Every structure is written in structure tokens, then in C-alpha cells.
Amino acid sequence: NRLIANLNKKQNMAQTEIKLKIRIPHILVDTRGASPKLLEALAPGLEHLDARVHILGEGASHLPHVFSAEEALEHADMWVFLGKELPSDFKMIAERGIVPILQQGSHKEASNYLPAKEEGNAFLFQEASEWHVYGSLVRALENFAFVYDWKSIKENTQSTFS
């Protein structure tokens, strides 16, 4: 009886399928209207992130590029705007719940996300330097790891900018 019980247990364990859902963030770096030097300075850090990074616009030819904003909309979780002015498709990006990472002052309604208060709708960097951009990007990636927080910021993004 014990032998049969152990065999049944082993069979059940073998038949049990464990499914893990691994969330890999997709980051789009939008260089339209930005200095090419900024992307070149940022590129070495982008290569070491645990994320899929694509570029929209010019520069960093060694990194993968997308052909259009429409193509990028399919997968992006975060959209890094390196230009001082937001592109005309910003509203469409926000409507999809893609979280913006942008320079402070680029949009009058953009506010830095504060996870403890669940307030804010973007991750803001103070100036267009590789260190400020990278710092905001790392903050966004840290929050992406927490499903509830990420859902909260996506909803804030959609309700504010749509």
C-alpha cells in the first residue's frame, strides 16, 4: 500500500504543471527632438538593464530600433521621452497605459510617482542628463516589479493624460 501511495504521489507531482509568469519590462526610448549625445551617453546603462529596450528615433545604432510609434505601442510598458517637447502621439501613448518617463516641466499635469501615497502619473527627471534619466528609469523599473503599484500608476497615467 505504501509503495502504491508513493507511486501515485510521484505521478501526481509529475503531472502538476508549475506555471510562472515572468514579467519582463519593455522600455521604449524616444529620441525624437533630443540631442543624439544624450542617447549615446545613456546607451551603456541601457544595455545592462533587465528589460527589453528599443529606440524610436536616431542614434545608438547598436541597440534595437522600432520603425514607428505604432509598432512600439504594441509592447511598451514605459516610454522614455528624451526630448524637451512631447510628441503629438503622447496622448495615445498615455491612453494605452504606457507609463511616461519625462523631463520635469514637459507636461503641466505630469507628477512624479510616489508609491507610498499611490500618487503621481509619471517618473520625472530634473534635467536631460544620462544620470538623471537613468535614475528615473531605475525608479520605474523598481516599481514595475510590484504589480499593484504598477497597476496604480498605469491607471493614474490613463486618467490624467487621456
Side-chain angles (χ1 to χ4, degrees):
N1 269 345
R2 285 182 116 184
L3 181 60
I4 293 173
N6 282 340
L7 285 174
N8 285 339
K9 186 176 179 181
K10 285 182 181 179
Q11 281 180 335
N12 287 340
M13 287 174 61
Q15 292 174 354
T16 302
E17 187 176 314
I18 298 173
K19 293 182 180 181
L20 296 175
K21 186 173 182 182
I22 298 173
R23 296 175 58 229
I24 298 171
H26 292 247
I27 301 166
L28 186 91
V29 180
D30 191 336
T31 65
R32 297 176 292 177
S35 166
K37 291 180 182 180
L38 179 56
L39 179 59
E40 291 304 322
L42 193 58
L46 295 174
E47 294 170 3
H48 294 284
L49 293 174
D50 290 329
R52 292 191 179 121
V53 178
H54 288 87
I55 309 299
L56 175 61
E58 301 295 319
S61 59
H62 61 287
L63 292 173
H65 281 63
V66 294
F67 296 106
S68 67
E70 291 78 18
E71 179 187 351
L73 286 169
E74 297 300 318
H75 303 289
D77 296 300
M78 307 166 201
W79 201 293
V80 183
F81 297 94
L82 296 181
K84 288 189 181 223
E85 292 186 24
L86 297 177
S88 59
D89 45 17
F90 177 74
K91 184 176 179 181
M92 180 175 56
I93 294 162
E95 286 172 348
R96 299 271 179 110
I98 299 170
V99 176
I101 301 169
L102 49 104
Q103 188 168 358
Q104 196 167 345
S106 296
H107 193 287
K108 64 183 178 192
E109 294 182 40
S111 61
N112 215 8
Y113 185 67
L114 304 170
K117 295 182 177 182
E118 297 177 21
E119 295 176 355
N121 50 32
F123 292 92
L124 304 178
F125 49 90
Q126 291 181 342
E127 59 184 72
S129 74
E130 68 269 22
W131 295 110
H132 284 103
V133 173
Y134 197 75
S136 293
L137 185 51
V138 168
R139 280 191 59 236
L141 287 168
E142 288 170 348
N143 282 278
F144 183 84
F146 299 99
V147 177
Y148 179 81
D149 288 344
W150 196 253
K151 183 180 176 200
S152 174
I153 190 169
K154 285 177 64 167
E155 289 170 355
N156 293 351
T157 296
Q158 288 173 310
S159 66
T160 302
F161 301 116
S162 298

